[in-house]
């Protein structure tokens, strides 16, 4: 078999893997037949639900009292927001008043991520954990393992040695678990007692919206937005660097050479990430396959692949999802690739993630 033919076959196999490597991790519970499309985001004490009609001429109606929605129910016009677990029933009608889709969904706010502060008493170091969510219980580990409800329950300041890694997560009934806080204990500067300082910050998702309906009160709330954040197709540097760092850490573990972060591929990934808001697929909104984005930037390749994801809030979350999905993991660890581009687009409280690979 000729070398050229081998490379063509290799490309076809990679394209097949890439076509299978699509993942959507819903952050809420949902059930429906012909389901209404939705997006969920979190900010502070709110959980947000954005409903997306299948056609611009369709109309969406909803209820929050458990009743079956009809065309006489409240019409959806703004993002819905709730501070407590809420059961929302949704129905979508076409222009000719035919039922197009339904959705029964429970949305739950997320417990605020624990914060850490450090104090000293004599030569002893103490770490205090707090959550901004009233009534939340915090569980923690000091051995690097993931904190669950089977871990140690936080009941008071933790006596630690410098270098100890604390991982903590907050839980509360009828709410989604918090993100994990990870902090390596350091001795506060100076000497004496009761010297303290914030060791970690709460970094909940910021939802870029112009207004929303509070489902508890029915009030329409208008908020200021940052247009640059809403329209930006490039993620923050920490998103790119975080995904890139974790990718190469995973490749090193299995003995595969590190990838190079390519600026042109990053531009391609940024374009694809923004397109995912319109069509979450390896096919673009105009129906062409995802690899045409590389063609538009003049990129030549013999092997290429794409990973996409939606809903993860940071680099750790999205890499955890990809590494626990066989198709995505295969692309990340493939020795066929030497370059990668990473994109992340945020809109309406959701993040859309893309990795594009080539040789």
């Amino acid at each position: 078999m000729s070398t050229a033919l081998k490379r063509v076959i290799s490309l076809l196999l990679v394209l097949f893997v890439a076509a299978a490597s699509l993942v959507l991790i819903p952050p809420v519970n949902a059930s429906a037949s012909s389901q209404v499309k939705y997006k969920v985001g979190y900010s502070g004490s709110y959980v947000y639900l954005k409903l997306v009609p299948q056609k611009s001429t369709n109309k969406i109606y909803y209820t929050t009292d458990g009743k079956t929605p009809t065309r006489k129910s409240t019409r959806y016009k703004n993002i819905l927001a709730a501070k407590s677990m809420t059961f929302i029933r949704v129905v979508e009608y076409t222009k000719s008043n035919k039922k197009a889709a339904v959705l029964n969904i429970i949305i739950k706010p997320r417990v605020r991520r624990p914060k850490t502060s450090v104090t000293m008493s004599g030569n002893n170091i103490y770490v205090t954990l707090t959550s901004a969510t009233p009534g939340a219980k915090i569980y923690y580990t000091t051995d690097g393992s993931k904190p669950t409800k089977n871990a140690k329950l936080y009941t008071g300041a933790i006596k630690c040695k410098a270098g100890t890694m604390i991982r903590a997560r907050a839980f509360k009934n009828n709410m989604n678990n918090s993100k994990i806080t990870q902090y390596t204990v350091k001795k506060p500067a100076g000497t004496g007692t009761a010297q303290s300082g914030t060791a970690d910050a709460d970094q909940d998702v910021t939802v870029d919206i112009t207004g929303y309906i509070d489902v508890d009160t029915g009030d329409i709330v208008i908020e200021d937005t940052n247009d640059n954040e809403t329209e930006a197709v490039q993620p923050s540097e920490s998103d790119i660097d975080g995904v890139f760092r974790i990718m190469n850490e995973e490749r090193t573990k299995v003995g595969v050479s590190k990838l190079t972060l390519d600026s042109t591929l990053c531009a391609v990934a940024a374009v694809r990430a923004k397109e995912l808001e319109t069509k979450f697929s390896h096919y673009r909104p105009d129906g062409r396959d995802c690899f045409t984005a590389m063609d538009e930037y003049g990129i030549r390749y013999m092997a290429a692949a794409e990973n996409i994801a939606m809903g993860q809030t940071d680099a750790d979350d999205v890499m955890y999802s990809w590494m626990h999905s066989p198709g995505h993991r295969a692309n990340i660890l493939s020795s066929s690739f030497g370059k990668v581009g990473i994109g992340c687009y945020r809109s309406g409280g959701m993040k859309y993630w893309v990795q594009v690979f080539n040789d």
Side-chain angles (χ1 to χ4, degrees):
M1 185 182 297
S2 68
T3 301
L5 182 57
K6 287 181 179 179
R7 298 197 67 158
V8 170
I9 293 175
S10 174
L11 172 60
L12 292 175
L13 289 174
V14 170
L15 294 180
F16 175 77
V17 171
S21 298
L22 178 152
V23 64
L24 170 60
I25 312 282
V28 292
N29 301 316
S31 61
S33 175
S34 300
Q35 184 173 288
V36 175
K37 297 179 180 179
Y38 67 91
K39 301 172 185 176
V40 175
Y42 304 91
S43 181
S45 58
Y46 275 103
V47 55
Y48 295 88
L49 175 66
K50 180 179 181 180
L51 303 173
V52 184
Q54 298 177 50
K55 292 184 179 180
S56 60
T57 54
N58 288 2
K59 296 179 180 179
I60 293 177
Y61 302 85
Y62 69 93
T63 64
T64 58
D65 58 4
K67 295 181 179 179
T68 302
T70 67
R71 285 186 288 116
K72 294 183 180 180
S73 301
T74 305
R75 183 178 171 186
Y76 174 80
K77 294 182 179 180
N78 294 82
I79 291 173
L80 305 178
K83 287 186 176 181
S84 60
M85 184 172 69
T86 304
F87 178 43
I88 299 178
R89 303 187 68 181
V90 183
V91 63
E92 180 178 347
Y93 285 95
T94 65
K95 188 176 182 180
S96 58
N97 292 325
K98 291 183 178 180
K99 187 182 292 186
V102 297
L103 174 68
N104 297 319
I105 186 168
I106 296 174
I107 58 173
K108 298 187 293 184
R110 186 173 61 194
V111 181
R112 300 298 295 274
R113 180 208 294 255
K115 292 183 179 180
T116 61
S117 61
V118 182
T119 61
M120 287 199 68
S121 178
N123 293 321
N124 297 321
I125 303 173
Y126 294 89
V127 175
T128 300
L129 301 174
T130 57
S131 172
T133 301
K137 292 184 177 180
I138 300 174
Y139 293 82
Y140 71 95
T141 63
T142 56
D143 60 1
S145 61
K146 185 176 180 179
T148 67
K149 288 186 176 180
N150 293 323
K152 296 178 182 177
L153 174 64
Y154 176 78
T155 57
I158 307 166
K159 184 178 178 181
C160 301
K161 295 180 180 179
T164 301
M165 183 175 71
I166 294 178
R167 303 188 75 196
R169 194 169 210 170
F171 298 80
K172 187 176 181 180
N173 291 338
N174 298 326
M175 296 185 71
N176 286 316
N177 305 334
S178 77
K179 296 171 66 177
I180 295 175
T181 289
Q182 181 171 305
Y183 173 67
T184 301
V185 178
K186 299 177 182 178
K187 184 177 180 180
T191 60
T193 61
Q195 298 184 23
S196 63
T198 299
D200 187 38
D202 198 342
Q203 299 178 355
D204 277 3
V205 176
T206 299
V207 180
D208 300 316
I209 56 177
T210 56
Y212 61 84
I213 298 176
D214 189 320
V215 298
D216 296 321
T217 64
D219 296 335
I220 297 178
V221 182
I222 304 299
E223 292 189 340
D224 293 330
T225 60
N226 185 325
D227 290 336
N228 291 330
E229 288 185 358
T230 303
E231 298 300 325
V233 298
Q234 291 285 359
S236 66
E237 184 177 4
S238 61
D239 282 329
I240 292 179
D241 288 347
V243 170
F244 183 61
R245 172 182 53 79
I246 297 171
M247 287 177 64
N248 277 334
E249 287 175 354
E250 295 294 342
R251 289 174 69 90
T252 299
K253 289 178 184 178
V254 297
V256 181
S257 59
K258 293 182 179 181
L259 293 166
T260 299
L261 188 65
D262 184 86
S263 59
T264 306
L265 281 177
C266 282
V268 172
V271 170
R272 287 288 298 127
K274 188 174 183 180
E275 291 178 346
L276 294 184
E277 182 185 24
T278 303
K279 185 173 184 178
F280 188 76
S281 169
H282 289 297
Y283 288 91
R284 305 176 72 183
D286 62 7
R288 294 180 297 160
D289 70 63
C290 59
F291 300 107
T292 59
M294 291 192 196
D295 298 335
E296 292 174 356
Y297 277 80
I299 298 174
R300 302 172 67 101
Y301 55 87
M302 290 298 294
E306 175 184 86
N307 284 347
I308 64 176
M310 167 184 165
Q312 294 79 7
T313 57
D314 57 25
D316 288 329
D317 288 344
V318 73
M319 283 302 300
Y320 181 88
S321 297
W322 277 332
M323 290 301 295
H324 285 77
S325 172
H328 298 85
R329 178 185 175 90
N331 285 339
I332 291 169
L333 301 181
S334 175
S335 60
S336 299
F337 306 126
K339 300 177 183 178
V340 67
I342 302 166
C344 177
Y345 175 66
R346 185 177 68 189
S347 177
M350 296 295 287
K351 281 187 176 182
Y352 303 86
W353 302 83
V354 174
Q355 294 171 324
V356 287
F357 307 83
N358 72 12
D359 52 350

